[in-house]
Structures are given as structure tokens and as C-alpha cells.
Amino acid sequence: MEIEIGRGKRGRRAYGFDDIAIVPSRRTRDPEDIDISWEIAGHRFELPLMASAMDGVVDPKLAIELGKFGGLAVLNLEGIYTRYADTGPILDKIASLSKEEATRGLQEIYNKEPVKEELIAQRIKEIKAGGVLAAASFTPQKVDTYYKIALEAGLDFLIIQGTVVSAEHVSTQVEPLNLKKFINELEIPVIVGGCASYSTALHLMRTGAVGVLVGVGPGAACTTRRVLGIGVPQATAIADAAAARMTYLEESGRYCHVIADGGMRTGGDIAKAIACGADSVMIGSPIAGTKEAPGRGHHWGMATFHPTLPRGTRVYAGQRCTLEELLLGPARENDGTLNLFGALRTSMATTGYQNIKEFQKAEVMVAPSLQTEGKVLQQAQRVGMG
């Protein structure tokens, strides 16, 4: 439904996770009978989870730990782990920066040292030595320069990731990466993103990618919506990408996975993302708050240290739980921020859906956000109606 913004502009109504609720079906199920596993490119994961390619979230050690729990962590191959051999002092320095110093300090740290080819290979080998699959990301601008080193080191999944990635980049300055040609010539599966609309998701799917990342600006560490004015509320963005997936399946016979990227803090958010059509989720901030995360409780996005137009901030998430408590419990808080995938399993059981594919078809209802409800209640109390 389009709404008139003014005489010369109309816009669609869009919804975030707080604006929708999952409707129970006519049956319920035993949580032990629920299957929340995810299969992509011939690989099966016990959890429909990817960890964001953020230096404060994923290092080789966390990638191994998360892999053992049944998820897939993505290492940023243009970050500090491929610029510095010893990252401990660097992470300590980032954590010690004041709020006022953070952005400039990150710019100095990342621009001081270039990406080193030998460290790309070393980090991937470290993950593989832990007995789990290795996934790593490059930006579209750098992937052609470094991907062969990563492949030779044993990379299993390549993620081509940026703030916004399109299948048709136009430039008069440089020869743009031909995503379709590039992906079709690779021997390993490729996931691309981010995107936030039906048309962009469909074009990315047509490149041959096995998955698309959906989300522009919803993450806690991202300021893209403020800096550039770009973004789509996540519930609508995921539903649009899911519609593109059906169009692509009908025209090609291939299934491309939709991965909700960012904006999820609770088990309820993850459940809503899948109910809107996601096959899996990518989260960063919740993992950054675990004791195993490398960022000393901090995390920051890939564009935070951009030399001329940073689009992100360093966020302090604390170190409030272990990775196991975050993912599988037990939860010692009742706010939905722990035991995320136990919550997903319970949500599916309560609404009667046995697996992820079924849950994508769940009925959802547009509802007032909790924030809006709170404001209405406060207003009613002020005028004597509460």
C-alpha cells in the first residue's frame, strides 16, 4: 500500500520486527519434535545462524567455537586479522579508546597496515584446523584481488558483502566486478549482500549466488540510515526478498537462500525474521556480548573505519554471557536475549510448525509496536484514562 508523502512523492508502508506478531495456528507441537536445522550448498547446520563478518565479533577461535555449536561464522578478510599478525594488542587498544576517540582511532589502526596475503591464508587455515567449515568475506572492490589466495587456503564459503551490493554496478572510473561471471567461475558457493528490495534481491539471485544477505542499516553498529538516508525496515525487506526467491525459483528451478542480516536482538526477532521468509539469520551484536567474542565486549562495522565517510560506530555490548548461553541456554534473564535458538524452537512449537520451511508460511499480523503501546498507555495515564 502506497501512502502520499506529498503531492509529488508516494511511498510504500514498511514494517520492522516490532510492528508484527506471529499468529498461532490450529495446532501446537512438542519442542523436541522441532527441526531448526538449515541446509545450504550441500552443507547442513544445526542452527540457522551466521555470525557477522565484524572484527569485534568473529576471529578464528570464535569461528571454530560457533562451528561446533552448529552455526557458521564469517571472518572479515579485510580487517585486523589480515593486517596484523598479533591482534591482541590491537583489540586492547580499540577497547581502550574513549567514545570521542573511537572513530578516528579505528581509522588510524586500519589505515596504518595493509591487508597481507600471507595472513589471509593463515587465518583460513586456522579455522580449518579446528575441524569446521571456513567462511569469509570480501568487499566487491577487493574480492577479485584476494579471492584466489583464500581458495587455495581451503575456503568453503565466500561472502561478497558491502553496505549495499548490486548486480549491476556502473562506473566510469574503474572496471566493475561482473558478479554473474565471477560467481559462475568459482568452485565454492557464494553469498552476496546486502540488499533490501525485491528487485535488487532478484538481480543478485540471478548471479548464481546460493544466498543473499538482506538488511541495509538495521544493525546496532551501523549508521548508514543516518549518514546516507538509506534503509528498509527488516520485516518488509525480508518479505520482499522472499518473494524474489519464489520468482527466481519459478524461472530457474534454483532455490536461493534468504539470510536476514542485522537488527535482531532477541529470540522473538529471529522467529519473526524466519516467519517473514528468511532461511537463516546473520547476527553480530548479540555475539559481541559473549565472553568468547574477540572485541572485549565491543563491536564495529566494516564501514566504521572508512577513511573519508565512516558509516558505523563502535558499540559496547558488554560480556554478559557465554556463547553457549546466548545460543542454547540456559537463559537467566527473561528479556529474550539469551537462549536465542531455544526461543526459536519454542516459538515454532507453540505455533505448530515443525521445520524452517513450514515456519516461513506462518501467518503474521501487523500490530502496534511495544514502544507505541507504551506511549499510548503513558498518554492515557496523564489524562486520567489509565
Side-chain angles (χ1 to χ4, degrees):
M1 180 180 67
E2 286 193 344
I3 298 171
E4 185 178 282
I5 297 169
R7 287 181 180 270
K9 180 68 70 172
R10 298 178 67 85
R12 287 176 60 204
R13 187 74 175 264
Y15 302 97
F17 294 132
D18 284 346
D19 299 314
I20 66 168
I22 303 168
V23 180
S25 70
R26 61 184 177 84
R27 66 166 63 91
T28 56
R29 294 182 183 273
D30 189 317
E32 296 301 318
D33 294 332
I34 304 303
D35 178 12
I36 62 171
S37 66
W38 175 45
E39 293 188 17
I40 181 171
H43 298 284
R44 184 176 184 273
F45 299 93
E46 293 301 318
L47 303 178
L49 167 67
M50 297 178 72
S52 297
M54 304 164 74
D55 286 348
V57 175
V58 176
D59 65 356
K61 289 183 180 179
L62 187 131
I64 294 169
E65 287 299 311
L66 188 69
K68 291 179 179 178
F69 282 122
L72 181 66
V74 183
L75 184 70
N76 175 16
L77 290 180
E78 295 177 43
I80 62 171
Y81 303 107
T82 57
R83 296 171 190 262
Y84 297 90
D86 183 6
T87 58
I90 304 300
L91 290 163
D92 289 337
K93 183 176 180 179
I94 292 172
S96 70
L97 293 169
S98 68
K99 183 178 180 180
E100 294 72 24
E101 298 170 326
T103 299
R104 184 172 297 181
L106 284 164
Q107 288 174 319
E108 292 174 354
I109 288 169
Y110 280 84
N111 293 322
K112 183 178 180 180
E113 293 289 338
V115 172
K116 299 175 178 65
E117 294 183 356
E118 64 274 16
L119 287 178
I120 292 175
Q122 179 181 324
R123 300 311 185 197
I124 294 169
K125 290 177 180 178
E126 287 174 6
I127 296 173
K128 297 288 289 183
V132 301
L133 295 173
S137 76
F138 286 115
T139 60
Q141 296 82 5
K142 298 293 185 181
V143 65
D144 198 35
T145 303
Y146 297 119
Y147 79 95
K148 290 182 181 178
I149 301 164
L151 293 182
E152 291 173 0
L155 187 69
D156 296 296
F157 280 89
L158 174 64
I159 289 79
I160 302 176
Q161 189 171 11
T163 302
V164 176
V165 174
S166 72
E168 187 179 341
H169 181 67
V170 179
S171 174
T172 60
Q173 307 299 314
V174 296
E175 181 67 28
L177 175 69
N178 185 324
L179 266 179
K180 186 171 185 179
K181 181 175 183 295
F182 180 82
I183 290 173
N184 286 326
E185 291 177 353
L186 284 183
E187 297 179 355
I188 64 172
V190 179
I191 296 170
V192 296
C195 67
S197 69
Y198 171 87
S199 59
T200 306
L202 181 58
H203 278 84
L204 288 177
M205 291 172 184
R206 287 170 174 165
T207 65
V210 299
V212 295
L213 300 174
V214 179
V216 175
C222 185
T223 60
T224 297
R225 294 182 180 180
R226 191 184 315 158
V227 176
L228 302 181
I230 298 171
V232 176
Q234 274 292 70
T236 294
I238 295 165
D240 281 354
R245 178 182 59 205
M246 294 307 299
T247 299
Y248 179 67
L249 180 63
E250 290 172 358
E251 71 181 30
S252 70
R254 298 176 181 175
Y255 188 93
C256 184
H257 295 258
V258 170
I259 302 158
D261 179 14
M264 290 158 286
R265 311 284 186 275
T266 67
D269 291 339
I270 292 173
K272 291 176 185 180
I274 293 175
C276 284
D279 297 284
S280 180
V281 300
M282 175 178 273
I283 60 175
S285 180
I287 295 174
T290 67
K291 296 174 182 177
E292 293 89 341
R296 282 61 167 162
H298 295 84
H299 67 113
W300 52 95
M302 294 188 296
T304 302
F305 48 86
H306 192 282
T308 59
L309 189 64
R311 298 179 301 281
T313 184
R314 188 199 58 178
V315 174
Y316 183 64
Q319 292 179 300
R320 57 193 295 263
C321 64
T322 66
L323 186 62
E324 183 173 12
E325 288 170 336
L326 175 73
L327 303 179
L328 303 172
R332 295 180 176 83
E333 301 289 344
N334 62 2
D335 58 2
T337 60
L338 298 175
N339 195 3
L340 299 180
F341 291 91
L344 172 62
R345 185 185 298 275
T346 301
S347 180
M348 292 169 61
T350 303
T351 53
Y353 300 96
Q354 190 169 15
N355 54 50
I356 297 293
K357 296 297 184 191
E358 288 185 6
F359 198 38
Q360 290 171 341
K361 301 174 184 177
E363 180 184 357
V364 298
M365 182 175 293
V366 176
S369 70
L370 296 177
Q371 185 177 6
T372 302
E373 288 178 342
K375 289 181 179 178
V376 171
L377 177 60
Q378 290 172 9
Q379 185 177 8
Q381 289 172 338
R382 281 197 299 269
V383 298
M385 296 174 61

